[in-house]
Amino acid sequence: MADIIIKNGSILTMDSYELTHGVVVIENGIITEVSESTEQYADKIIDAKGSVVMPGFVNTHTHAAMTLFRGYADDIPLDEWLKDYIWPAEEHLTDEDAYIGTKLACLEMIKSGTTSFADMYIHMNDVAQAVKDSGMRAALSYGLIDLGENRSADVELSKGKQFVLEWNGEAEGRIITMYGPHAPYTCSEGFLSKLKKESNHDNVGIHIHVLETESELNQMKQHYGMCSVNLLDRLGFLGPDVLAAHCVWLSDDDIEILRGRGVHVSHNPVSNMKLASGVAPVPKMLDRGVNVSLGTDGCASNNNNLDMFEEMKTAALLHKVESLDPTVLPARQVLEMATTSGARALGVKSGVLREGCNADVIIVDMNKPHLTPLYDIHSHLVYSASGSDVSTTIVDGRILMQDYEVFCMDEQDVLDRARTAATGLLERAKF
């Protein structure tokens, strides 16, 4: 007896580009069958008529609790945004703020079709608890900085290690942990080398910002005589266990280093546009075989949301206009970045509907005016659909939302608590 059978839907497995009609069978959190029909019975039958059944999105770079800063300090350069607004405000964040901010992020992602995400932030025990309570899947890392006032490399590394060991494999395996050095310009060489050794010892990955801005590029060249990628490579830091966010200011040689080391990249087009950081050379990276996924970044530096549909559309359009080539980043390739490539970057068996993979599944309601008529499903999902078209979200075989109704948390309670937390934060930080 299966747990769930999804029937009558059009299935986009991401194993192939074909859209087929059939069933998806789920048992014990795993996809056990994807076929035209099944002889099995299930405790729960979901009728997906008029909808597309597909893998959930994998958002490979977030700062989830920053939902509490949604709309705060917009239209400001990154350095000023961080130093004058975000970092001072974050000093007033409490554990409860981080918990409810992450819960709000999880609610938003569940409602818009994201089933897994990679997060780097502070108060990570509370972030992890919110993920556990929400039912989502996540790769979590404590954001670590050892350069600056009152920063100790040993203390920071201890924080990161304690979190890694405490939470890795928790929530029935839905939570994995990573080390999270903020960036090469906020972390010393010695600290990065120590952290790499610890990540190898603990057999976990590393999540780091790399060359997000031209300012970082110039700063690194002035201080080290080389850019961030070359410094990290010299330290023996880069490898297939590294998830590098942004990677905007890369040279051709940098791209070759990332490819050769098997580094995974998280492309955050909306954030890069909003902060005027630049345009990452994604087509070049993809052409050379770098695994490039998609992330939203924190919604305070995004379009103030965590909608991966919006991220896909922006990625496709940005690189077309940047290259003056309408064939660059076609819809199918962008859809891969948001699903299979993201899962590969996090090392999770998701991002595809295949027997033996995690049952991280979404159902997109195609019976909408803006999705009619339907000629090319990939085109519609990238250019026409939005997060509000997701009717059902399943993670690890558990139905978190069905027919637009959220079951894994009290939606109104989360909204009310988030508003209260934001008000309290405003009063304490006086911003």
Side-chain angles (χ1 to χ4, degrees):
M1 173 77 74
D3 297 320
I4 301 170
I5 292 177
I6 304 172
K7 67 176 187 178
N8 295 332
S10 298
I11 302 173
L12 182 63
T13 65
M14 294 307 299
D15 241 351
S16 82
Y17 289 135
E18 298 301 319
L19 192 65
T20 60
H21 195 77
V23 299
V24 176
V25 182
I26 297 169
E27 188 173 354
N28 295 325
I30 301 296
I31 296 170
T32 57
E33 186 179 345
V34 180
S35 58
E36 292 184 1
S37 62
T38 183
E39 300 297 321
Q40 291 209 58
Y41 296 92
D43 294 328
K44 178 74 174 181
I45 304 292
I46 298 177
D47 190 340
K49 184 178 180 180
S51 300
V52 169
V53 184
M54 62 177 288
F57 297 118
V58 182
N59 183 344
T60 55
H61 185 60
T62 63
H63 311 290
M66 291 186 78
T67 51
L68 296 186
F69 298 125
R70 190 194 312 268
Y72 163 62
D74 281 344
D75 307 323
I76 296 171
L78 177 60
D79 286 348
E80 182 182 349
W81 181 78
L82 283 172
K83 295 175 183 176
D84 297 342
Y85 294 89
I86 296 301
W87 286 344
E90 285 176 341
E91 292 179 3
H92 298 274
L93 273 174
T94 65
D95 291 346
E96 175 64 17
D97 289 339
Y99 177 84
I100 194 60
T102 304
K103 202 78 176 289
L104 178 63
C106 290
L107 174 62
E108 182 178 354
M109 287 189 276
I110 288 165
K111 288 174 71 71
S112 56
T114 293
T115 53
S116 305
F117 67 101
D119 197 68
M120 176 202 293
Y121 207 48
I122 52 179
H123 300 278
M124 289 306 295
N125 287 323
D126 301 279
V127 169
Q129 188 62 53
V131 172
K132 182 177 181 178
D133 294 345
S134 75
M136 289 193 72
R137 190 181 307 280
L140 305 178
S141 55
Y142 204 114
L144 305 172
I145 296 174
D146 82 313
L147 294 178
E149 294 182 5
N150 302 316
R151 295 286 184 177
S152 164
D154 289 340
V155 171
E156 288 290 286
L157 193 55
S158 177
K159 284 182 187 177
K161 189 175 184 66
Q162 183 177 356
F163 176 74
V164 161
L165 297 180
E166 182 175 347
W167 282 98
N168 198 31
E170 285 297 303
E172 295 79 44
R174 287 185 288 105
I175 292 175
I176 60 173
T177 53
M178 307 174 78
Y179 280 94
H182 174 261
Y185 69 94
T186 55
C187 297
S188 67
E189 291 180 81
F191 180 68
L192 290 169
S193 294
K194 286 182 180 179
L195 186 146
K196 179 66 175 182
K197 290 179 182 177
E198 291 300 323
S199 71
N200 288 339
H201 179 269
D202 297 331
N203 195 30
V204 298
I206 299 171
H207 187 174
I208 184 172
H209 300 83
V210 175
L211 287 178
E212 181 177 1
T213 65
E214 188 178 22
S215 174
E216 176 188 343
L217 174 65
N218 294 334
Q219 181 180 337
M220 295 299 289
K221 284 186 174 180
Q222 182 178 2
H223 191 75
Y224 294 105
M226 63 185 73
C227 75
S228 299
V229 171
N230 281 268
L231 174 68
L232 294 173
D233 195 44
R234 180 170 65 78
L235 295 174
F237 187 91
L238 300 175
D241 58 340
V242 173
L243 172 61
H246 299 296
C247 295
V248 174
W249 289 86
L250 299 178
S251 68
D252 288 351
D253 288 342
D254 294 335
I255 294 173
E256 189 57 31
I257 290 172
L258 296 180
R259 184 207 62 79
R261 303 294 183 237
V263 173
H264 304 278
V265 171
S266 177
H267 179 39
N268 297 231
V270 175
S271 178
N272 296 157
M273 292 171 69
K274 186 177 183 183
L275 294 170
S277 300
V279 182
V282 169
K284 282 187 177 181
M285 285 191 273
L286 291 170
D287 286 346
R288 296 192 186 184
V290 177
N291 181 47
V292 184
S293 58
L294 280 179
T296 59
D297 210 347
C299 71
S301 63
N302 183 272
N303 264 7
N304 297 347
N305 65 47
L306 300 171
D307 189 341
M308 286 287 283
F309 285 96
E310 189 170 283
E311 213 70 40
M312 288 194 297
K313 182 175 182 176
T314 302
L317 298 182
L318 171 63
H319 294 285
K320 284 170 170 54
V321 74
E322 168 72 6
S323 64
L324 299 180
D325 182 353
T327 69
V328 166
L329 249 63
R332 291 180 177 183
Q333 192 169 34
V334 176
L335 202 57
E336 285 181 357
M337 291 167 65
T339 54
T340 55
S341 298
R344 193 179 312 125
L346 301 189
V348 295
K349 294 182 68 175
S350 303
V352 63
L353 302 187
R354 182 194 304 149
E355 183 178 336
C357 289
N358 293 324
D360 296 350
V361 184
I362 63 173
I363 300 177
V364 183
D365 182 0
M366 305 301 289
N367 190 34
K368 302 285 184 72
H370 61 284
L371 298 173
T372 304
L374 175 59
Y375 298 114
D376 183 328
I377 183 58
H378 312 96
S379 174
H380 264 21
L381 289 172
V382 171
Y383 297 121
S384 302
S386 68
S388 60
D389 297 319
V390 176
S391 66
T392 299
T393 301
I394 299 170
V395 177
D396 209 39
R398 178 187 172 194
I399 300 171
L400 305 186
M401 179 178 74
Q402 184 179 357
D403 295 331
Y404 303 100
E405 182 180 358
V406 176
F407 297 120
C408 57
M409 62 184 84
D410 184 328
E411 184 171 352
Q412 191 58 54
D413 179 64
V414 171
L415 297 177
D416 291 342
R417 289 175 65 188
R419 293 187 185 104
T420 300
T423 300
L425 183 59
L426 179 75
E427 292 173 349
R428 292 192 302 276
K430 295 182 175 58
F431 54 75

